[in-house]
Amino acid sequence: MTRSWVGVDVGGTKVLAVRIDASGEVQATATRPMPGRSAGPEAVEEAIVLAARDVDGGRPPVALGVSAAGLVDAAGERFLFGAHLPWRDTPVRRTLADRTGLTVVLDNDANCAAHAELVAGAARGVGSALLVTIGTGIGGAIVLDGRVVRGAHGLAGEFGHMQVVPDGLACECGLRGCWEQYCSGRALERVTRVALGRHLDGPEVTALARAGDPVALSSFASVGTWLGIGVAGLVSAFDPGLVVVGGGVSAVGELLLGPARTALVHSLQGTAYRAVPALVPALLGPEAGAIGAALLARDGRS
Ligand SMILES: [Zn+2]
């Protein structure tokens, strides 16, 4: 009998499910659209249950892992808040366990992605690493000495809202000068709009940069420089062996990571006398959250 584990990643626009075997190999994937916010929490729970069934191969998994975009409490019981999900301080783990009859593990999506990169991706074999995901905003996770660090309330790794510019650009969170205002897909679009006088979306800027367009290259250099500046602060705080950069904006690769490495060295003290961690692209791509949730279901939440 083959044992399997299912991971489901719940994002703003879709629910992505994967089934893994005992070795962590992905056996099946499925995607369902995310019900609109107005559909309510039960509709999201239903989509998770159906997506998990889409991949289970007709046999219940040993356990179900759920990766969710937002704040999850330290115990992994409650989803506290996420801008794109309808749950508000909701006991999601227990609700899904009652509905499915399965052992359910719940964690924040960046923590799940970090676990996946640690076990099967770019941080494999590295005891201490940081994950920075650059999409619409910035997500993050901290792995120290082989464990995902969650903090006293489960909220560690929310790097995007560190203030990097006092009285800087207004952020959706209500503060000013947050890192993700300068280093994100939105920042990429804003910098390009200021330079060009018209709006291009992230994939359009990426395509132009790959074709060598100087404005698009300069936009990525700006976002990459801010990436390096922010990462330098994180390196000072956590001393990771590696910094893994994921998320949609990072798909452009070296055009972002090159300027980031330069800024990291310029912004870190004592670089002639210390190890500067490598900045490397994430390996698992958009399925990292779901794979990490399945691996957490297999390994248990540390
Ligand atoms: Zn903010």
Side-chain angles (χ1 to χ4, degrees), residues 49 53 60-64 94-104:
V49 171
R53 262 187 220 141
V62 177
L64 170 66
R94 172 164 298 244
T95 302
L96 289 170
D98 288 347
R99 268 191 84 146
T100 60
L102 296 170
T103 298
V104 175

Side-chain angles (χ1 to χ4, degrees), residues 264-278:
L264 169 59
V265 170
H266 283 154
S267 307
L268 193 62
Q269 70 150 346
T271 49
Y273 305 98
R274 68 178 291 167
V276 178

Side-chain angles (χ1 to χ4, degrees), residues 160-161 171 173 175 178:
H161 301 281
C171 182
C173 75
L175 301 175
C178 294

Side-chain angles (χ1 to χ4, degrees), residues 163 165-171 175-178 181-182:
Q163 192 186 51
V165 180
D167 294 322
L169 294 166
C171 182
L175 301 175
R176 284 189 167 274
C178 294
Q181 291 305 313
Y182 303 88

Side-chain angles (χ1 to χ4, degrees), residues 2 18 37 49 59 73 93 153 202 212 224 242 271:
T2 313
V18 304
R37 274 283 300 280
V49 171
R59 188 198 297 268
D73 73 346
R93 196 206 63 76
H153 310 97
L242 190 69
T271 49

Side-chain angles (χ1 to χ4, degrees), residues 117 120-124 244-246 280-286 288:
E117 293 290 343
R124 199 170 178 173
V244 180
V245 182
V280 300
L283 283 185
L284 296 172

